[in-house]
Amino acid sequence: MLPINKNQRFYLSIIVLFSISILFIEYGRCSRMRAGLEMFADVYFLCVIITILPVKLRKPIKYIVFGLLYVIGLVDMVCYQIMGTALVPAVVQTWLQTNIQEATEVLHTYLKPSLLFSPIALFFILPLFVYFIKGKTLNLHRYLLFLLFVLTLTSAVYGINNKRYLHNIYTRVSDDDMEEFVDNGLSMTHEYLPIYRLGLSIKEIQRFSEMRNRLLTNVKNTRVDSCSFESPIIVLIIGESYNRHHSSLYGYDIRTTPYQEYLYKEKNLYSFKNVIASYNLTFKSFQNMMTLYDYDSKGQWYNYPILPALFKRAGYKVNFISNQYTLDKASAFTDYTEDVFMNNPEITSYMFDWRNEKSYSYDMDLINDYLSVPDTIGTMPQFVIFHFIGMHADFRSRYPTEQAVFSAANYHRTDLNNEEKQVLADYDNAVVYNDYVINNIIDVFSQKDAIVIHVPDHGELVYDGCQEMGRNQKLQRKYIIPQYDIPFWIYCSNTYKKEHPAICRQIENATERPFMTDDLPHLLLYLAGIKCKWYQRERNLIDNSYNSTRKRFIRGEIDYDKL
């Protein structure tokens, strides 16, 4: 109780300051109630530090600490009111890259008198509160002090896990260091205070800057030995959150993939039965599929060649049409680590000849983007990457309403309520729409000497044998299967089958082999005929030397086949 009792005015002032940010700024999935509880331990810790300082230093330190926290909190609130987001790395990076003229124009545009009627006004009232209590003698009753102390102890115990998270995120070197916290997103407050958000921003900007520099050096030094352009047109369709067990091509009892089933019956589509994602997180899965890095590799992923850069260096025209990553995205620092190499203008120039400028509500619009590229259709050789938003997150928004096929009434599961059944219907509708979009892409290349590979980044848990959905890091098999089992198939046009019969036989003979997506680059290099020191025959799914006994360690640590 002593630290509170000796610093009562400071204690109350900081509590009020922090409360303004917690109450009036929505940050991620952070619960205001949980953040409010955790705050008491943080403020108490500040008071402890001040209490152990020499007496002559306490007062100036209080002014400095309060002033610093006040300014950071005010800036955080201004950013939130103007830009709709708090002091996340994206915002800090934007301000750091803004010159005086641009900053002046922004402030002139957005700093309007109406902001005085927003929560920003509380920051101007707060100094009056501090001044008011400065000359007052505060004698908090001992029972109140005891209550605050008990509240602080509760706060400290409750916030232990979040403090572990903060320690890890401030000291991490790679994204692997944070994986154990993925499943705790709902129970932790993360960077719930402006000072924590600023600390994260500074740390992440430094980390990503170093990462970008290494990647830039990497792509500049990318070399290939030779290329035979074995497959003149290679199309890679990267899906999103696609659970194989919701595809009727793979035996789902609701018909969700009629177009793929037709192509399968026509013997143009080769369906692989035992393929899993390497991660259930997009950024990690992307790192493995788009680079020659995998869990067997040493060092960090960004020290390994990037697949599109290898294709471009070999002489392929490389186009990237994404419904998630575009160069006009607000930032490369907010949610996805892959943004560092997928959305950095300088790095992207070494990987792609063309990429789309904006994203869309529905994946179908990506086809029009591709068709708008000058001379694209007749250009060979070319490597085309379509990156869907697929079945990500809000399933209902992933398909046009008029194309809905299923509703809650189609599902007779007594363990689910109507709302949950509708979520399940929305997911399956998204799968149906996905099938429709894929078929339209195949139509574009069906008369060409083209091969199309479809692979999602990971799966999704959608009430599969349980009453849960989403993604998590739980290791029970019932959770792992829906999140890691993904559809994987290869389509060969009739022209391609005629021109490359040996490759088609290799593909057909490999459909029962176990495979994990971190080996995808080796298959693609082989299909292109690209020779380089990074290619490994035993990692190429359709090569006779393919190592079918290689352990499939999901997340780089758990043997999927032993679960």
Side-chain angles (χ1 to χ4, degrees), residues 475-498:
L475 298 182
Q476 292 96 323
R477 184 174 177 81
K478 67 177 181 179
Y479 298 121
I480 292 293
I481 296 300
Q483 296 181 74
Y484 287 85
D485 282 13
I486 57 173
F488 181 88
W489 49 256
I490 298 176
Y491 164 88
C492 300
S493 69
N494 288 328
T495 302
Y496 190 91
K497 291 176 69 174
K498 179 181 178 181

Side-chain angles (χ1 to χ4, degrees), residues 300-325:
Q300 298 299 326
W301 66 272
Y302 43 77
N303 292 322
Y304 288 79
I306 302 175
L307 187 67
L310 285 170
F311 268 81
K312 187 174 181 182
R313 180 70 70 175
Y316 273 82
K317 181 175 182 179
V318 184
N319 296 325
F320 181 58
I321 305 96
S322 173
N323 212 8
Q324 294 192 52
Y325 311 126

Side-chain angles (χ1 to χ4, degrees), residues 54 113 126 217 291 316 436 521:
L126 181 58
T217 301
T291 73
Y316 273 82
Y436 169 72

Side-chain angles (χ1 to χ4, degrees), residues 249 255 259-269:
L249 177 65
R255 199 174 187 205
Y259 291 109
Q260 291 168 50
E261 291 170 56
Y262 173 79
L263 293 171
Y264 177 76
K265 291 177 181 177
E266 292 294 306
K267 300 187 182 303
N268 290 101
L269 187 149

Side-chain angles (χ1 to χ4, degrees), residues 83-180:
M83 305 173 67
T85 184
L87 275 178
V88 294
V91 173
V92 176
Q93 178 71 10
T94 299
W95 283 109
L96 289 176
Q97 294 177 339
T98 301
N99 57 40
I100 295 177
Q101 179 181 350
E102 292 172 332
T104 302
E105 292 174 354
V106 169
L107 293 175
H108 181 265
T109 302
Y110 291 102
L111 288 184
K112 300 177 180 179
S114 59
L115 289 176
L116 294 176
F117 297 95
S118 72
I120 293 176
L122 296 174
F123 277 89
F124 298 107
I125 297 174
L126 181 58
L128 298 177
F129 169 77
V130 174
Y131 180 79
F132 175 77
I133 66 173
K134 178 182 179 182
K136 303 292 182 181
T137 301
L138 299 179
N139 290 311
L140 298 180
H141 196 280
R142 60 179 181 174
Y143 291 124
L144 179 57
L145 288 171
F146 178 74
L147 179 63
L148 289 173
F149 182 69
V150 172
L151 188 61
T152 300
L153 286 179
T154 305
S155 170
V157 172
Y158 173 83
I160 286 176
N161 202 35
N162 197 55
K163 293 304 184 288
R164 286 181 59 238
Y165 164 87
L166 291 173
H167 174 267
N168 277 269
I169 202 168
Y170 292 142
T171 59
R172 66 173 171 167
V173 175
S174 75
D175 299 290
D176 293 331
D177 301 331
M178 298 305 299
E179 296 218 356
E180 64 179 292

